[in-house]
Amino acid sequence: MKKAFRFLSFLIIFLIGFTAFAQDIKWDKNGDTFYAVVKNEIFQHSLPNTVGEKLISSAQLSPKGQAPLSITDFAFSADGQKVLIYTNTKSVWRLQTQGDYWVYELATGKLSQVGEELPESSLRFAKFSPDASKVAFVSEFNLYVQDLTSGQISMLTADGTRKLINGTFDWAYEEEFACRDGFQWSPDGTRISFWQIDANQIRDYYMINTTDSIYSQIIPVEYPKVGESPSPARIGIIELASKKLTWLNIPGDPQQHYLPRMEWNSPEFLLVQQLNRKQNHSKILGVNVTTNVANLIFEEQDETWIDVLSSWENTYGLTYRHEFKWINGGKEFLWFSEKDGWRHLYRIDLSGKVTPVTHGNYDVINLLHFNEKENSLYFHASPENATQKYLYKAKLDGKGTAERVTPTDLPGTHSYVISPSGKYGMHQFSNSFTRPASEWISLPKHQPLDPSQSIASKLPANQGAKNVEFFKVNTADGTEMDGWMVKPKNFDPTKKYPVLFMVYTEPWGANVKDSYGVGRNRNYEGDMAADGYIYISIDNRGTPAPKGRAWRKSIYRKIGRLNISDQAEAAKQISKWPFVDPTRMAVWGHSGGGSATLNLLFQYPGLFQTGISLAAVANQLTYDNIYQERYMGLPQENLEDFVAGSPITHAKNLQGNLLYIHGTGDDNVHYANAEMLINELIKHGKLFQFMPYPNRSHGIGEGEGTIAHLRMVYTNFLKTYCPPGGR
């Protein structure tokens, strides 16, 4: 069995992907043991050994007379003696954050359900108290706690509704701040802090289901559009012994700021981040919960916006949570800032003193690990090439310069998960021609624990043809943009080929990365290169590449203009390449890429003859306030920027061929965008093709046959109006 698990422990990484695996493993407090689910059983794996053993079997997780629980997630109590099993889940917006919870006791083998008397699959974010005697959770917008000895359930809040949300968040907070889990135990277990979101003043957007009944069904979503005040948020403290509730005295108008972070520092003290509505003024407040007095610890302002989180983080991870990284016995925390022009780490003490930790002309992509005893920290960065990613090490006291740890013989994208002790790490590598491979390594020497399972040993089998070419395009003002290109198979430089551009262009995503899978088109039925297309993508200014603050923030108040002019200028240059057919140039994108596709067709008519736009924001005034106001300001102050950057403003200029696709059940980019744009195109006599997908959400993936149908529609349109092959 141990040999079998040795194989499975590595195989599972390939099967479910490095990011998912990294999220699913749970580290033991000793720092060198982790736990992971393999075939619906929990295994324990102690490094540096590469052999694991079964800790909890499916049989042990089988309620009496029932099939084994299907494990979606699990968590250990602080003493390591109990395990909380998350199962029977269903989605709330993007993720499966609602379900059932069971407690398994390792010593006795007892398995019991939490909140059994509450509706099935209604529990969210259950977590043990520090002493493991209780479990707190949210159900139907209210907060509960259950005593595990007596089984008694106490309701801590009773006013929760769809519009008054306790212990979790509304649509906008979840989507744009990755805020989902909305409560925390105090370190001594005597209190619980939680968010309450008041969406009563937020108007509903009504999605309409017309397929599941002979009468239409209305699905309301509380959704604050750009220009609308935020849902007021406040933080409450519940004393468990007395059930006394105190609302924190946080200064300012709750309708004009956000509270995206909150965390306990001690049983009497917690930190709260407050962000103004424009998201360009961040404050860290320290709150004494006994006196209910909040004091300013640190603040930062920016001319554009301040990132609460980065798109480099796994913000769609099931267990993702904003955390303060505490050091010096809780007297300091680590914090990211771009105040010197690059994304760097700083130490901030509770008096507000700021000490730089990393420095130089590069971005710290994300923090992986820090060790105070060894005065060290590990992070991802790529100072030389923004399309790649490597492991770096620096000193926690800020002295000296960062050193690259990743070997130099494997250019591409490297990702790491580092054990709490800092002695070991899970390392994944891929590039455009190398399939992902993973290995366990020792640090800081970066040596594989098992040479037979090392990345180096797998390279011959994992490397394929180098069919992706990376290139650079310079704009007229000297800005350098990265791009990639896949040429047709049997490429003949004497012929001219059609080009398809894939675009996203907004601050939430970059396309040009030296990683496996780049250059593939998920919507194309067949092999684009074999059919004779050139496939290209370029990252314009404003995309979240590790190129410094000026690169990323240059798009402020210019979405729909700067990103579009950058892409158009690059396309004009590429149209002059000797092997490119300028009469067969097409562009496509999804979401923000769909918006960019429309803007490129409308603002630069004739440059592209064909466009395919999916789930596009046609009118920036229809999108949510947190995202759009972060990057564009307030429409009450600069409405002209929203209008100028919206595709609907320029729809009258359409030339060529447009395929427009949208899901009618899209809770993110609402279907109203489609009908608004269609009306505008009709008004100006523009011919186009439209493909609505009933009740499909933003990803347009639900429903039998949907993905296959979308690929057929997409591919047929592209081949019809931008024929493949060299001429």
Side-chain angles (χ1 to χ4, degrees):
M1 184 275 292
K2 289 184 177 180
K3 288 185 178 179
F5 178 64
R6 175 178 173 178
F7 170 74
L8 281 171
S9 67
F10 286 97
L11 178 63
I12 195 72
I13 299 168
F14 306 127
L15 293 178
I16 66 177
F18 178 80
T19 300
F21 179 78
Q23 177 187 319
D24 289 343
I25 65 175
K26 313 293 180 183
W27 291 101
D28 187 83
K29 59 185 178 182
N30 71 25
D32 296 328
T33 296
F34 73 87
Y35 305 89
V37 176
V38 179
K39 292 189 174 181
N40 208 44
E41 298 181 309
I42 298 176
F43 281 76
Q44 176 178 302
H45 195 130
S46 297
L47 300 172
N49 296 325
T50 57
V51 177
E53 59 181 344
K54 188 183 299 184
L55 181 68
I56 304 175
S57 69
S58 290
Q60 291 169 301
L61 295 180
S62 300
K64 187 175 182 180
Q66 299 180 36
L69 301 176
S70 177
I71 306 172
T72 299
D73 195 18
F74 66 99
F76 283 86
S77 59
D79 61 7
Q81 297 305 302
K82 297 175 182 177
V83 185
L84 195 60
I85 305 296
Y86 181 44
T87 186
N88 195 26
T89 62
K90 61 182 182 181
S91 64
V92 178
W93 310 128
R94 284 186 183 265
L95 300 180
Q96 300 279 322
T97 53
Q98 189 165 298
D100 294 328
Y101 287 87
W102 295 70
V103 172
Y104 179 77
E105 299 181 18
L106 290 172
T108 65
K110 179 182 177 182
L111 181 67
S112 57
Q113 186 173 1
V114 176
E116 186 175 7
E117 64 191 56
L118 295 170
E120 182 181 5
S121 295
S122 72
L123 274 61
R124 305 189 199 183
F125 315 117
K127 53 184 77 74
F128 287 113
S129 60
D131 66 0
S133 66
K134 302 177 181 67
V135 171
F137 54 88
V138 171
S139 178
E140 297 184 319
F141 309 111
N142 279 309
L143 191 61
Y144 295 79
V145 65
Q146 179 169 343
D147 185 281
L148 293 180
T149 301
S150 66
Q152 181 179 353
I153 298 174
S154 299
M155 192 176 195
L156 301 181
T157 65
D159 56 354
T161 67
R162 183 177 69 86
K163 289 286 195 172
L164 191 66
I165 304 165
N166 295 304
T168 184
F169 296 90
D170 64 356
W171 188 95
Y173 259 84
E174 175 172 327
E175 176 69 17
E176 307 302 356
F177 288 142
C179 289
R180 302 180 185 92
D181 182 350
F183 72 92
Q184 297 173 21
W185 285 96
S186 65
D188 62 359
T190 63
R191 301 179 173 102
I192 289 179
S193 60
F194 70 99
W195 276 268
Q196 184 186 78
I197 305 295
D198 185 354
N200 279 296
Q201 299 177 52
I202 303 301
R203 295 178 62 184
D204 286 330
Y205 176 81
Y206 297 114
M207 298 189 297
I208 302 177
N209 180 340
T210 60
T211 63
D212 294 341
S213 171
I214 58 173
Y215 286 95
S216 61
Q217 301 173 34
I218 295 176
I219 304 170
V221 181
E222 67 280 355
Y223 189 105
K225 300 282 186 177
V226 59
E228 299 291 328
S229 296
S231 302
R234 58 180 177 172
I235 293 172
I237 307 293
I238 298 176
E239 306 280 346
L240 291 184
S242 64
K243 302 299 188 294
K244 178 185 176 183
L245 169 61
T246 301
W247 297 107
L248 293 188
N249 184 20
I250 297 174
D253 181 356
Q255 285 194 302
Q256 296 302 319
H257 66 235
Y258 300 101
L259 302 175
R261 272 193 181 98
M262 172 264 291
E263 187 168 320
W264 292 91
N265 170 267
S266 71
E268 305 290 332
F269 189 68
L270 55 74
L271 264 61
V272 176
Q273 182 185 20
Q274 184 187 68
L275 196 66
N276 68 328
R277 179 173 170 181
K278 285 188 176 182
Q279 301 170 66
N280 60 5
H281 188 182
S282 172
K283 295 179 181 180
I284 305 299
L285 304 170
V287 185
N288 184 311
V289 299
T290 301
T291 63
N292 200 7
V293 174
N295 292 306
L296 179 66
I297 292 176
F298 171 76
E299 66 179 328
E300 182 179 7
Q301 298 186 60
D302 195 292
E303 295 177 353
T304 59
W305 73 86
I306 294 172
D307 283 309
V308 170
L309 47 86
S310 166
S311 63
W312 297 314
E313 300 174 82
N314 182 27
T315 56
Y316 293 125
L318 184 64
T319 57
Y320 179 85
R321 186 169 72 86
H322 305 291
E323 292 180 330
F324 288 86
K325 304 297 184 183
W326 298 103
I327 57 175
N328 192 17
K331 297 176 182 177
E332 295 179 88
F333 57 91
L334 297 175
W335 196 254
F336 278 107
S337 174
E338 295 178 324
K339 66 189 184 72
D340 77 342
W342 299 88
R343 177 177 160 91
H344 280 300
L345 274 166
Y346 295 82
R347 300 170 66 128
I348 302 175
D349 71 18
L350 296 182
S351 71
K353 180 184 176 182
V354 180
T355 304
V357 176
T358 60
H359 42 83
N361 294 336
Y362 65 91
D363 287 309
V364 175
I365 293 176
N366 58 335
L367 175 64
L368 298 170
H369 173 79
F370 58 91
N371 188 312
E372 292 185 77
K373 186 180 296 185
E374 297 182 1
N375 188 31
S376 66
L377 58 86
Y378 289 99
F379 57 89
H380 286 132
S382 187
E384 309 298 330
N385 187 330
T387 72
Q388 300 173 343
K389 186 170 69 172
Y390 301 99
L391 179 65
Y392 278 76
K393 184 179 182 182
K395 293 183 177 179
L396 190 58
D397 63 12
K399 297 179 181 179
T401 58
E403 300 177 357
R404 176 167 158 168
V405 179
T406 303
T408 59
D409 58 346
L410 293 175
T413 297
H414 297 255
S415 298
Y416 296 81
V417 175
I418 296 177
S419 68
S421 73
K423 295 179 181 179
Y424 308 104
M426 169 55 70
H427 168 218
Q428 186 199 52
F429 163 71
S430 81
N431 60 27
S432 62
F433 59 91
T434 306
R435 289 191 299 274
S438 299
E439 63 183 353
W440 285 104
I441 59 171
S442 62
L443 291 169
K445 293 186 177 181
H446 207 285
Q447 297 295 319
L449 297 186
D450 184 347
S452 70
Q453 294 289 338
S454 69
I455 288 174
S457 70
K458 302 164 190 170
L459 279 179
N462 284 336
Q463 290 185 330
K466 297 182 179 181
N467 62 349
V468 179
E469 299 178 25
F470 290 87
F471 64 91
K472 297 181 183 294
V473 176
N474 291 299
T475 62
D477 64 4
T479 300
E480 184 179 83
M481 298 187 291
D482 288 303
W484 54 252
M485 168 173 53
V486 179
K487 290 178 179 175
K489 294 178 179 177
N490 301 317
F491 175 74
D492 183 345
T494 66
K495 293 183 178 181
K496 291 185 179 291
Y497 293 89
V499 180
L500 176 63
F501 290 79
M502 187 263 283
V503 293
Y504 182 74
T505 82
E506 296 207 7
W508 197 246
N511 294 330
V512 184
K513 300 178 182 180
D514 189 3
S515 58
Y516 194 70
V518 69
R520 294 184 179 180
N521 186 342
R522 65 180 184 273
N523 289 325
Y524 189 84
E525 185 70 43
D527 186 332
M528 287 186 64
D531 289 344
Y533 285 105
I534 298 172
Y535 195 32
I536 285 178
S537 190
I538 296 164
D539 279 344
N540 51 263
R541 285 174 287 184
T543 51
K547 293 184 174 184
R549 176 195 175 282
W551 168 273
R552 292 186 292 274
K553 302 299 178 68
S554 61
I555 201 169
Y556 185 62
R557 290 177 52 171
K558 298 176 184 176
I559 290 179
R561 292 184 293 160
L562 177 68
N563 51 332
I564 304 307
S565 63
D566 276 0
Q567 291 285 336
E569 187 170 350
K572 288 175 183 177
Q573 293 184 36
I574 290 170
S575 71
K576 298 176 183 177
W577 290 356
F579 50 83
V580 167
D581 185 347
T583 68
R584 288 184 292 162
M585 290 179 55
V587 59
W588 86 276
H590 193 128
S591 191
S595 308
T597 297
L598 295 174
N599 265 324
L600 284 165
L601 290 177
F602 300 163
Q603 293 186 36
Y604 294 88
L607 178 58
F608 298 93
Q609 296 77 42
T610 301
I612 305 175
S613 171
L614 291 82
V617 177
N619 182 347
Q620 290 190 24
L621 297 175
T622 69
Y623 204 52
D624 77 76
N625 57 0
I626 297 180
Y627 181 95
Q628 212 67 37
E629 293 179 3
R630 177 190 301 152
Y631 304 124
M632 291 293 291
L634 304 182
Q636 291 90 336
E637 298 177 358
N638 55 296
L639 179 63
E640 65 278 6
D641 295 327
F642 293 83
V643 174
S646 293
I648 196 169
T649 302
H650 312 282
K652 59 182 177 294
N653 300 323
L654 173 63
Q655 295 180 16
N657 312 292
L658 168 63
L659 172 60
Y660 189 33
I661 300 171
H662 212 119
T664 70
D666 192 336
D667 62 270
N668 187 341
V669 178
H670 296 153
Y671 181 67
N673 280 273
E675 298 205 347
M676 288 179 184
L677 183 63
I678 289 169
N679 262 345
E680 191 68 12
L681 291 168
I682 291 170
K683 181 172 74 175
H684 294 287
K686 299 299 180 179
L687 297 178
F688 60 96
Q689 293 189 27
F690 178 53
M691 182 65 231
Y693 280 92
N695 292 334
R696 272 62 167 191
S697 66
H698 193 54
I700 317 179
E702 306 89 348
E704 186 176 356
T706 299
I707 294 174
H709 187 272
L710 176 58
R711 296 181 75 185
M712 286 190 294
V713 171
Y714 178 106
T715 307
N716 179 70
F717 187 85
L718 181 65
K719 286 183 173 181
T720 299
Y721 295 103
C722 185
R727 295 177 180 173

PDB file of all heavy atoms in Angstrom, residues 432-450:
ATOM      1  N   SER A 432       6.294  26.871 -22.449  1.00  0.00           N
ATOM      2  CA  SER A 432       5.391  26.756 -23.593  1.00  0.00           C
ATOM      3  C   SER A 432       5.517  25.426 -24.327  1.00  0.00           C
ATOM      4  O   SER A 432       4.598  25.036 -25.047  1.00  0.00           O
ATOM      5  CB  SER A 432       5.624  27.913 -24.565  1.00  0.00           C
ATOM      6  OG  SER A 432       6.944  27.869 -25.081  1.00  0.00           O
ATOM      7  N   PHE A 433       6.635  24.732 -24.137  1.00  0.00           N
ATOM      8  CA  PHE A 433       6.811  23.452 -24.838  1.00  0.00           C
ATOM      9  C   PHE A 433       7.056  22.289 -23.871  1.00  0.00           C
ATOM     10  O   PHE A 433       7.390  21.188 -24.300  1.00  0.00           O
ATOM     11  CB  PHE A 433       7.971  23.544 -25.848  1.00  0.00           C
ATOM     12  CG  PHE A 433       9.304  23.903 -25.252  1.00  0.00           C
ATOM     13  CD1 PHE A 433      10.176  22.927 -24.822  1.00  0.00           C
ATOM     14  CD2 PHE A 433       9.684  25.231 -25.129  1.00  0.00           C
ATOM     15  CE1 PHE A 433      11.404  23.253 -24.275  1.00  0.00           C
ATOM     16  CE2 PHE A 433      10.907  25.573 -24.584  1.00  0.00           C
ATOM     17  CZ  PHE A 433      11.769  24.587 -24.147  1.00  0.00           C
ATOM     18  N   THR A 434       6.871  22.516 -22.574  1.00  0.00           N
ATOM     19  CA  THR A 434       7.095  21.467 -21.579  1.00  0.00           C
ATOM     20  C   THR A 434       5.859  21.296 -20.715  1.00  0.00           C
ATOM     21  O   THR A 434       5.414  22.242 -20.060  1.00  0.00           O
ATOM     22  CB  THR A 434       8.298  21.810 -20.679  1.00  0.00           C
ATOM     23  OG1 THR A 434       9.441  22.078 -21.489  1.00  0.00           O
ATOM     24  CG2 THR A 434       8.603  20.662 -19.736  1.00  0.00           C
ATOM     25  N   ARG A 435       5.306  20.094 -20.714  1.00  0.00           N
ATOM     26  CA  ARG A 435       4.142  19.821 -19.881  1.00  0.00           C
ATOM     27  C   ARG A 435       4.495  19.979 -18.410  1.00  0.00           C
ATOM     28  O   ARG A 435       5.631  19.741 -18.009  1.00  0.00           O
ATOM     29  CB  ARG A 435       3.616  18.407 -20.145  1.00  0.00           C
ATOM     30  CG  ARG A 435       2.952  18.226 -21.498  1.00  0.00           C
ATOM     31  CD  ARG A 435       2.232  16.878 -21.576  1.00  0.00           C
ATOM     32  NE  ARG A 435       3.166  15.775 -21.404  1.00  0.00           N
ATOM     33  CZ  ARG A 435       3.870  15.227 -22.380  1.00  0.00           C
ATOM     34  NH1 ARG A 435       3.757  15.699 -23.615  1.00  0.00           N
ATOM     35  NH2 ARG A 435       4.687  14.224 -22.138  1.00  0.00           N
ATOM     36  N   PRO A 436       3.523  20.360 -17.570  1.00  0.00           N
ATOM     37  CA  PRO A 436       3.818  20.556 -16.146  1.00  0.00           C
ATOM     38  C   PRO A 436       4.359  19.292 -15.500  1.00  0.00           C
ATOM     39  O   PRO A 436       3.851  18.186 -15.723  1.00  0.00           O
ATOM     40  CB  PRO A 436       2.457  20.938 -15.558  1.00  0.00           C
ATOM     41  CG  PRO A 436       1.679  21.488 -16.703  1.00  0.00           C
ATOM     42  CD  PRO A 436       2.124  20.700 -17.902  1.00  0.00           C
ATOM     43  N   ALA A 437       5.393  19.474 -14.713  1.00  0.00           N
ATOM     44  CA  ALA A 437       5.952  18.385 -13.916  1.00  0.00           C
ATOM     45  C   ALA A 437       6.214  18.916 -12.521  1.00  0.00           C
ATOM     46  O   ALA A 437       6.515  20.098 -12.338  1.00  0.00           O
ATOM     47  CB  ALA A 437       7.244  17.866 -14.543  1.00  0.00           C
ATOM     48  N   SER A 438       6.099  18.037 -11.526  1.00  0.00           N
ATOM     49  CA  SER A 438       6.257  18.455 -10.145  1.00  0.00           C
ATOM     50  C   SER A 438       7.245  17.565  -9.420  1.00  0.00           C
ATOM     51  O   SER A 438       7.488  16.415  -9.806  1.00  0.00           O
ATOM     52  CB  SER A 438       4.905  18.417  -9.420  1.00  0.00           C
ATOM     53  OG  SER A 438       3.981  19.288 -10.019  1.00  0.00           O
ATOM     54  N   GLU A 439       7.804  18.112  -8.349  1.00  0.00           N
ATOM     55  CA  GLU A 439       8.737  17.370  -7.517  1.00  0.00           C
ATOM     56  C   GLU A 439       8.745  17.976  -6.123  1.00  0.00           C
ATOM     57  O   GLU A 439       8.435  19.152  -5.937  1.00  0.00           O
ATOM     58  CB  GLU A 439      10.156  17.436  -8.099  1.00  0.00           C
ATOM     59  CG  GLU A 439      10.713  18.853  -8.135  1.00  0.00           C
ATOM     60  CD  GLU A 439      12.090  18.957  -8.769  1.00  0.00           C
ATOM     61  OE1 GLU A 439      12.691  17.908  -9.080  1.00  0.00           O
ATOM     62  OE2 GLU A 439      12.575  20.096  -8.964  1.00  0.00           O
ATOM     63  N   TRP A 440       9.097  17.164  -5.145  1.00  0.00           N
ATOM     64  CA  TRP A 440       9.381  17.679  -3.810  1.00  0.00           C
ATOM     65  C   TRP A 440      10.859  17.991  -3.735  1.00  0.00           C
ATOM     66  O   TRP A 440      11.697  17.202  -4.181  1.00  0.00           O
ATOM     67  CB  TRP A 440       9.004  16.663  -2.735  1.00  0.00           C
ATOM     68  CG  TRP A 440       7.527  16.549  -2.489  1.00  0.00           C
ATOM     69  CD1 TRP A 440       6.693  15.546  -2.915  1.00  0.00           C
ATOM     70  CD2 TRP A 440       6.716  17.473  -1.764  1.00  0.00           C
ATOM     71  NE1 TRP A 440       5.408  15.793  -2.497  1.00  0.00           N
ATOM     72  CE2 TRP A 440       5.390  16.972  -1.785  1.00  0.00           C
ATOM     73  CE3 TRP A 440       6.964  18.673  -1.099  1.00  0.00           C
ATOM     74  CZ2 TRP A 440       4.334  17.618  -1.173  1.00  0.00           C
ATOM     75  CZ3 TRP A 440       5.914  19.330  -0.479  1.00  0.00           C
ATOM     76  CH2 TRP A 440       4.608  18.806  -0.512  1.00  0.00           C
ATOM     77  N   ILE A 441      11.182  19.163  -3.163  1.00  0.00           N
ATOM     78  CA  ILE A 441      12.577  19.582  -3.074  1.00  0.00           C
ATOM     79  C   ILE A 441      12.931  19.948  -1.640  1.00  0.00           C
ATOM     80  O   ILE A 441      12.058  20.238  -0.822  1.00  0.00           O
ATOM     81  CB  ILE A 441      12.868  20.797  -3.983  1.00  0.00           C
ATOM     82  CG1 ILE A 441      11.976  21.982  -3.590  1.00  0.00           C
ATOM     83  CG2 ILE A 441      12.693  20.435  -5.448  1.00  0.00           C
ATOM     84  CD1 ILE A 441      12.343  23.293  -4.274  1.00  0.00           C
ATOM     85  N   SER A 442      14.229  19.939  -1.341  1.00  0.00           N
ATOM     86  CA  SER A 442      14.727  20.483  -0.086  1.00  0.00           C
ATOM     87  C   SER A 442      15.231  21.895  -0.352  1.00  0.00           C
ATOM     88  O   SER A 442      15.673  22.221  -1.448  1.00  0.00           O
ATOM     89  CB  SER A 442      15.852  19.615   0.474  1.00  0.00           C
ATOM     90  OG  SER A 442      16.955  19.588  -0.432  1.00  0.00           O
ATOM     91  N   LEU A 443      15.118  22.723   0.670  1.00  0.00           N
ATOM     92  CA  LEU A 443      15.542  24.116   0.564  1.00  0.00           C
ATOM     93  C   LEU A 443      16.572  24.416   1.658  1.00  0.00           C
ATOM     94  O   LEU A 443      16.552  23.792   2.716  1.00  0.00           O
ATOM     95  CB  LEU A 443      14.329  25.042   0.702  1.00  0.00           C
ATOM     96  CG  LEU A 443      13.339  25.013  -0.466  1.00  0.00           C
ATOM     97  CD1 LEU A 443      12.059  25.763  -0.097  1.00  0.00           C
ATOM     98  CD2 LEU A 443      13.959  25.600  -1.728  1.00  0.00           C
ATOM     99  N   PRO A 444      17.518  25.317   1.370  1.00  0.00           N
ATOM    100  CA  PRO A 444      17.544  26.261   0.231  1.00  0.00           C
ATOM    101  C   PRO A 444      18.301  25.769  -0.995  1.00  0.00           C
ATOM    102  O   PRO A 444      18.411  26.507  -1.969  1.00  0.00           O
ATOM    103  CB  PRO A 444      18.259  27.470   0.850  1.00  0.00           C
ATOM    104  CG  PRO A 444      19.230  26.857   1.799  1.00  0.00           C
ATOM    105  CD  PRO A 444      18.531  25.665   2.388  1.00  0.00           C
ATOM    106  N   LYS A 445      18.809  24.532  -0.983  1.00  0.00           N
ATOM    107  CA  LYS A 445      19.653  24.086  -2.096  1.00  0.00           C
ATOM    108  C   LYS A 445      18.862  23.625  -3.314  1.00  0.00           C
ATOM    109  O   LYS A 445      19.443  23.353  -4.361  1.00  0.00           O
ATOM    110  CB  LYS A 445      20.589  22.978  -1.620  1.00  0.00           C
ATOM    111  CG  LYS A 445      21.617  23.463  -0.610  1.00  0.00           C
ATOM    112  CD  LYS A 445      22.623  22.380  -0.281  1.00  0.00           C
ATOM    113  CE  LYS A 445      23.682  22.903   0.686  1.00  0.00           C
ATOM    114  NZ  LYS A 445      24.702  21.859   1.002  1.00  0.00           N
ATOM    115  N   HIS A 446      17.527  23.522  -3.173  1.00  0.00           N
ATOM    116  CA  HIS A 446      16.668  23.174  -4.311  1.00  0.00           C
ATOM    117  C   HIS A 446      17.031  21.801  -4.882  1.00  0.00           C
ATOM    118  O   HIS A 446      17.110  21.599  -6.097  1.00  0.00           O
ATOM    119  CB  HIS A 446      16.767  24.239  -5.406  1.00  0.00           C
ATOM    120  CG  HIS A 446      15.533  24.339  -6.263  1.00  0.00           C
ATOM    121  ND1 HIS A 446      15.234  23.409  -7.230  1.00  0.00           N
ATOM    122  CD2 HIS A 446      14.538  25.259  -6.313  1.00  0.00           C
ATOM    123  CE1 HIS A 446      14.099  23.760  -7.845  1.00  0.00           C
ATOM    124  NE2 HIS A 446      13.659  24.883  -7.292  1.00  0.00           N
ATOM    125  N   GLN A 447      17.211  20.826  -3.992  1.00  0.00           N
ATOM    126  CA  GLN A 447      17.540  19.467  -4.412  1.00  0.00           C
ATOM    127  C   GLN A 447      16.295  18.585  -4.349  1.00  0.00           C
ATOM    128  O   GLN A 447      15.531  18.653  -3.375  1.00  0.00           O
ATOM    129  CB  GLN A 447      18.617  18.878  -3.493  1.00  0.00           C
ATOM    130  CG  GLN A 447      19.936  19.621  -3.540  1.00  0.00           C
ATOM    131  CD  GLN A 447      20.601  19.513  -4.896  1.00  0.00           C
ATOM    132  OE1 GLN A 447      20.601  18.450  -5.523  1.00  0.00           O
ATOM    133  NE2 GLN A 447      21.168  20.622  -5.363  1.00  0.00           N
ATOM    134  N   PRO A 448      16.049  17.731  -5.355  1.00  0.00           N
ATOM    135  CA  PRO A 448      14.875  16.843  -5.313  1.00  0.00           C
ATOM    136  C   PRO A 448      15.019  15.809  -4.198  1.00  0.00           C
ATOM    137  O   PRO A 448      16.108  15.262  -3.978  1.00  0.00           O
ATOM    138  CB  PRO A 448      14.878  16.187  -6.695  1.00  0.00           C
ATOM    139  CG  PRO A 448      16.291  16.293  -7.178  1.00  0.00           C
ATOM    140  CD  PRO A 448      16.834  17.563  -6.597  1.00  0.00           C
ATOM    141  N   LEU A 449      13.916  15.561  -3.503  1.00  0.00           N
ATOM    142  CA  LEU A 449      13.954  14.557  -2.442  1.00  0.00           C
ATOM    143  C   LEU A 449      14.075  13.150  -3.020  1.00  0.00           C
ATOM    144  O   LEU A 449      14.673  12.272  -2.402  1.00  0.00           O
ATOM    145  CB  LEU A 449      12.692  14.659  -1.579  1.00  0.00           C
ATOM    146  CG  LEU A 449      12.485  15.971  -0.813  1.00  0.00           C
ATOM    147  CD1 LEU A 449      11.268  15.851   0.103  1.00  0.00           C
ATOM    148  CD2 LEU A 449      13.714  16.348  -0.022  1.00  0.00           C
ATOM    149  N   ASP A 450      13.508  12.955  -4.170  1.00  0.00           N
ATOM    150  CA  ASP A 450      13.556  11.643  -4.828  1.00  0.00           C
ATOM    151  C   ASP A 450      13.991  11.866  -6.274  1.00  0.00           C
ATOM    152  O   ASP A 450      13.182  12.252  -7.114  1.00  0.00           O
ATOM    153  CB  ASP A 450      12.183  10.982  -4.783  1.00  0.00           C
ATOM    154  CG  ASP A 450      12.193   9.574  -5.361  1.00  0.00           C
ATOM    155  OD1 ASP A 450      13.193   9.205  -6.004  1.00  0.00           O
ATOM    156  OD2 ASP A 450      11.196   8.857  -5.175  1.00  0.00           O
TER     157      ASP A 450
END
